[in-house]
Structures are given as structure tokens and as C-alpha cells.
Amino acid sequence: PSPEAEMAFWNCSIAEINTEIGEDSDGERRILKLRSIVCVSASCSENLDAHVLTDAFSLSKILDFTTEPIKTSRLISSISDQFVLKYIVQRPDNCPGISEVINVSGAVGHTDVEVSSGKISIDGFISCNVLYLSEDLEQPIAAFDIEVPFTQTINEPQANSDLFTTLETEVTHVSFCIISPEEIELRIALRATGTLMSLDSYEVITQIGSNTPEDRPDENRPSILIYIVQPGDTLWKIAKRYRSSVDTLQNLNNIKNPDVLMPGQKLIIA
């Protein structure tokens, strides 16, 4: 396939960051150890233009179809939303009091995404690591991990429970302020991006057989009929029903756009 026909999607996120204060060769706690878990996901797809047959009829014969179902995904809309989470963090009892915060890192952990009527709901948590200077002279640098839960609702008029989403949520910024030696306030900026998709199913004709009926039910039909268009009608459906052709109906009724029919419209069928 040509490069223009290929699509690749990848996502890289930090699932977890841990810090640990270790002792150096002199026995002093002056070594900062960092450990992180990086998650990388990728997918590659190709767009192919394919012509498939989903319906057919003959003006002179009865057709017998053999069909197979196929499923395709269809883009409904693109989603982008930003929101800020405020959370009060309590210092763990086994950690010394907070004097000055050096850094707070955060990464989105597990999330549950639900699509319902008019909205997309996200439930998850953020794995945060707090690195700080303490009030304890014997342990001047300390750190602890905490999980911050969050819930966010994105209003999407086209959303419903029959659709699915490729939504991904990421942390874009973390700010903080000290409330007391036991508490700090976090402000976590998050961004959710993705697509809202529909999984459509079609019956595709794979084989056609035909036979000529002994009796044609439309042999005694009047040579000219007046048909009143019903909601959901198309020229194809009407032509199939009365064993005519789309071109014949279009030319006979001076229809400029065969895809536009109005309920109540009168058509001449010959």
C-alpha cells in the first residue's frame, strides 16, 4: 500500500513514578533513586476503497442472494477536553513533616470510560509522587506516593450507548501549594482526546443466482401508476418494488437529485 493509505497511532505515557532516598558510601541519605514505568501502545491501519454489493434486483428475473455480514468502524466526531482537578493530599503517618515541596509528578493510571446518551464519563485515578524537604534533620529529603481519584463528564450531543470511543487521558501539568506540614493542595491539569466511533454492520452479497418465474405478478399492472413517496423511501427501493429502474424514474419525473425525495411527493411509474 502507498504511504498515504497507511495510518499509525501511538501513545506513550508514564504509568508510575517512584522515588527513593538512599544512603551514600558515608551512610548519609543523599542519593535520590528514581524508577518509572513507561507504557507504549501502538496500532497501524490501512484505508482501502472497496466496492461491495449490498442489494440488487432484475427487471425480468428473480434473484437469489448469498450474503455475509461485515463490520466497519465509522468516525462520528473528534473529542478534545481539558479540565483541572483539585485535591488535598494528606502526608502519610510514616513520613516526616513537609517543609518545602521539591516536585510533584503525576501520570494517569487505570481509567473506565462509558458512553451514554449525550455524554462520555471518565472514572480513574492519577498516580502521584511527592518529593519534598522535611522538617526532620535525620531525613531531610523524603517522598511518598499517592493515588488521586477523578471523575469527569464530557458533553457530546452525538454520544449514545451504541457507540464506542478511543479516548485517552493524560496529565499536562501539576502545580502545588503547602497548606501545613501534613497537607498540600494539588492542581492537576488533564487533557482527554480521542474519537467517537460507530461499529456498523452490513450484509454484503457474495453470490447471486437467478431464475425466471412462470407467472409475473406485475403483468396485469396498469401501464402508468402514481406513487406517493413515504418516509424512508429511496428511488432504488421504489424501482425495485415496481421492477423499474432508477434512471427511468428519474427521467420520467424530472428528478435532478436522485438522493432527495420528499414524503408526499408524487411519482409517475411506468
Side-chain angles (χ1 to χ4, degrees), residues 38-141:
V38 179
C39 298
V40 178
S41 60
S43 64
C44 185
S45 62
E46 179 183 356
N47 285 334
L48 294 177
D49 291 330
H51 297 278
V52 296
L53 191 62
T54 59
D55 196 10
F57 70 93
S58 170
L59 301 182
S60 60
K61 297 181 180 181
I62 294 178
L63 303 182
D64 297 321
F65 303 150
T66 299
T67 63
E68 291 184 3
I70 62 170
K71 292 184 178 181
T72 62
S73 57
R74 177 169 53 93
L75 175 66
I76 302 299
S77 64
S78 297
I79 303 167
S80 180
D81 188 51
Q82 298 184 17
F83 54 98
V84 176
L85 172 67
K86 296 181 181 180
Y87 192 79
I88 303 298
V89 174
Q90 297 284 339
R91 173 184 57 82
D93 294 336
N94 59 347
C95 293
I98 301 170
S99 175
E100 179 182 346
V101 176
I102 300 173
N103 183 65
V104 178
S105 59
V108 177
H110 177 74
T111 58
D112 291 319
V113 181
E114 181 181 358
V115 181
S116 56
S117 179
K119 64 182 180 180
I120 300 173
S121 302
I122 311 172
D123 290 298
F125 66 86
I126 303 167
S127 296
C128 292
N129 178 264
V130 180
L131 179 66
Y132 66 97
L133 300 178
S134 75
E135 298 176 329
D136 189 347
L137 296 179
E138 295 183 359
Q139 188 179 349
I141 300 178

Side-chain angles (χ1 to χ4, degrees), residues 14-250:
I14 299 176
E16 183 178 335
I17 299 178
N18 294 313
T19 59
E20 181 182 349
I21 310 301
E23 295 182 354
D24 59 14
S25 58
D26 297 328
E28 299 290 338
R29 295 171 57 86
R30 295 182 295 195
I31 297 179
L32 179 62
K33 299 179 181 180
L34 299 177
R35 184 186 68 178
S36 64
I37 299 176
V38 179
C39 298
V40 178
S41 60
S43 64
C44 185
S45 62
E46 179 183 356
N47 285 334
L48 294 177
D49 291 330
H51 297 278
V52 296
L53 191 62
T54 59
D55 196 10
F57 70 93
S58 170
L59 301 182
S60 60
K61 297 181 180 181
I62 294 178
L63 303 182
D64 297 321
F65 303 150
T66 299
T67 63
E68 291 184 3
I70 62 170
K71 292 184 178 181
T72 62
S73 57
R74 177 169 53 93
L75 175 66
I76 302 299
S77 64
S78 297
I79 303 167
S80 180
D81 188 51
Q82 298 184 17
F83 54 98
V84 176
L85 172 67
K86 296 181 181 180
Y87 192 79
I88 303 298
V89 174
Q90 297 284 339
R91 173 184 57 82
D93 294 336
N94 59 347
C95 293
I98 301 170
S99 175
E100 179 182 346
V101 176
I102 300 173
N103 183 65
V104 178
S105 59
V108 177
H110 177 74
T111 58
D112 291 319
V113 181
E114 181 181 358
V115 181
S116 56
S117 179
K119 64 182 180 180
I120 300 173
S121 302
I122 311 172
D123 290 298
F125 66 86
I126 303 167
S127 296
C128 292
N129 178 264
V130 180
L131 179 66
Y132 66 97
L133 300 178
S134 75
E135 298 176 329
D136 189 347
L137 296 179
E138 295 183 359
Q139 188 179 349
I141 300 178
F144 61 86
D145 298 316
I146 190 169
E147 291 185 352
V148 178
F150 73 93
T151 298
Q152 177 69 7
T153 299
I154 302 174
N155 294 321
E156 173 53 56
Q158 300 185 76
N160 63 69
S161 57
D162 294 329
L163 305 179
F164 68 94
T165 181
T166 60
L167 202 65
E168 296 285 345
T169 306
E170 63 177 341
V171 175
T172 59
H173 180 71
V174 179
S175 60
F176 49 83
C177 66
I178 299 176
I179 298 176
S180 70
E182 287 75 35
E183 293 181 334
I184 60 174
E185 181 184 79
L186 299 183
R187 288 175 174 259
I188 306 172
L190 298 105
R191 177 172 58 211
T193 56
T195 57
L196 186 64
M197 307 288 290
S198 170
L199 188 62
D200 299 334
S201 180
Y202 302 93
E203 291 290 332
V204 176
I205 297 174
T206 57
Q207 187 175 358
I208 298 179
S210 65
N211 62 78
T212 303
E214 296 180 359
D215 299 320
R216 292 193 56 177
D218 57 348
E219 286 183 347
N220 298 322
R221 191 188 75 187
S223 58
I224 296 180
L225 289 175
I226 302 297
Y227 178 78
I228 299 177
V229 176
Q230 303 298 311
D233 273 345
T234 64
L235 278 186
W236 174 273
K237 292 180 180 180
I238 298 171
K240 182 179 180 180
R241 183 184 308 166
Y242 291 101
R243 292 183 178 274
S244 183
S245 69
V246 172
D247 289 341
T248 298
L249 295 181
Q250 186 175 353

